Amino acid sequence: MANIIDGKAISAAIRAEIKESTEAFAKEYGFRPGLAVIIVGEDPASQVYVRNKRRACEEVGFYSEAYELPAETTQEELNALVDKLNASDKIHGILCQLPLPKHLDENEVIMRIDPKKDVDAFHPTNVGKIMIGDYSFLPCTPAGVMALLERSGIEISGKECVVVGRSNIVGKPQAMLLLHSHGTVTVCHSRTKNLAEVCRRADILVAAIGKADFFTADMIKEGAVVIDVGMNRRADGKLTGDVDFESVAPKASYITPVPGGVGPMTITMLMQNTLTAAKQSV
Ligand code: GUN
């Protein structure tokens, strides 16, 4: 049976470290790191994320502002808010929760956020920096995965790493971070041929395709490290990952559960990025 990587415990440990650094920062500079979170419309999942982000800010001692805008907000109104937050001395990180309602242009918002306050690391400036290995902000979910691996003592150098999923938020930056840690990286996606065969090569498998319980034991090498980025709702309302935990866990050496694996790490990495942004502002 695999070691279960406890994302909640690792996340709590990192938040405690961030809180300590925040207190030292506030003492030295007389202000606290500030995060602004923007949400447009009434998507219930997004509302939960935003509430959790606000709570996390309180926990680590940040200043925070939350903007819950109506679904019919115009691009001009959203742009004006981003401009205001870009100019605010109290705000060091800006996060606009995606997806946005269809009439709004996500790219325009991503491009408008000052790269120095882009704690999602979605702006092309920060994406480009990640590509060349010179980064101040790491995208939150892949950074959370790296922290889980590191704090579990899992070596990446020289390992076969297979990332399944190629989104801008997870798959692509994840591949880059593993590459920077000297993994041999393969990225798979919906058109990959012989997916099971490629997955069976993985010493470290990162599953990020958004399909409930898709990865089964036959796709996993004996002793592999299995990281599940999936967050899917089953018909019965239960939260489940991309990995069929019950069949895969006995075969893996390490595995992340859902919930309680990668999920709690994402917001913690956002806090880390906000602290970094505040430090870089002084
Ligand atoms: N929606 C789902 N994940 C994310 C994220 O990491 N950042 C933002 N801004 N929106 C999201």
Side-chain angles (χ1 to χ4, degrees), residues 39-50:
I39 172 176
V40 187
E42 272 99 47
D43 177 44
S46 293
Q47 287 173 328
V48 173
Y49 289 138
V50 171

Side-chain angles (χ1 to χ4, degrees), residues 38 46 49 53 94-99 110 113 119-120 122 139-142 169-170 266 270:
I38 307 170
S46 293
Y49 289 138
K53 280 162 189 164
I94 303 170
L95 179 139
C96 180
Q97 188 70 33
L98 305 178
I110 288 170
I113 292 173
V119 284
D120 263 325
F122 288 171
C140 297
T141 301
I169 297 185
V170 182
T266 302
L270 176 70

Side-chain angles (χ1 to χ4, degrees), residues 178-208:
L178 289 165
L179 188 57
H180 288 311
S181 294
H182 314 292
T184 300
V185 182
T186 305
V187 182
C188 300
H189 46 80
S190 53
R191 302 206 192 169
T192 297
K193 295 204 167 64
N194 305 322
L195 178 64
E197 195 181 307
V198 181
C199 289
R200 274 195 299 273
R201 290 211 301 259
D203 299 311
I204 300 173
L205 179 78
V206 179

Side-chain angles (χ1 to χ4, degrees), residues 32-154:
R32 288 174 178 274
L35 175 69
V37 176
I38 307 170
I39 172 176
V40 187
E42 272 99 47
D43 177 44
S46 293
Q47 287 173 328
V48 173
Y49 289 138
V50 171
R51 202 176 322 133
N52 289 342
K53 280 162 189 164
R54 200 184 307 169
R55 217 173 278 152
C57 283
E58 278 168 24
E59 192 185 327
V60 298
F62 288 178
Y63 169 75
S64 75
E65 293 177 8
Y67 294 86
E68 303 194 25
L69 308 180
E72 56 278 5
T73 301
T74 64
Q75 188 79 47
E76 289 67 34
E77 287 166 335
L78 185 55
N79 289 350
L81 175 58
V82 170
D83 291 347
K84 184 184 98 170
L85 296 170
N86 278 341
S88 167
D89 287 341
K90 286 163 115 174
I91 294 299
H92 308 95
I94 303 170
L95 179 139
C96 180
Q97 188 70 33
L98 305 178
L100 288 170
K102 289 205 170 30
H103 68 283
L104 295 171
D105 184 342
E106 289 183 356
N107 242 351
E108 192 169 332
V109 178
I110 288 170
M111 296 291 283
R112 202 164 186 110
I113 292 173
D114 182 341
K116 294 194 207 66
K117 298 191 178 189
D118 170 37
V119 284
D120 263 325
F122 288 171
H123 191 286
T125 298
N126 290 319
V127 175
K129 282 180 151 188
I130 289 159
M131 187 71 135
I132 60 172
D134 160 22
Y135 26 57
S136 34
F137 301 131
L138 294 177
C140 297
T141 301
V145 170
M146 298 308 283
L148 288 178
L149 293 172
E150 192 180 315
R151 293 200 180 218
S152 304
I154 295 161

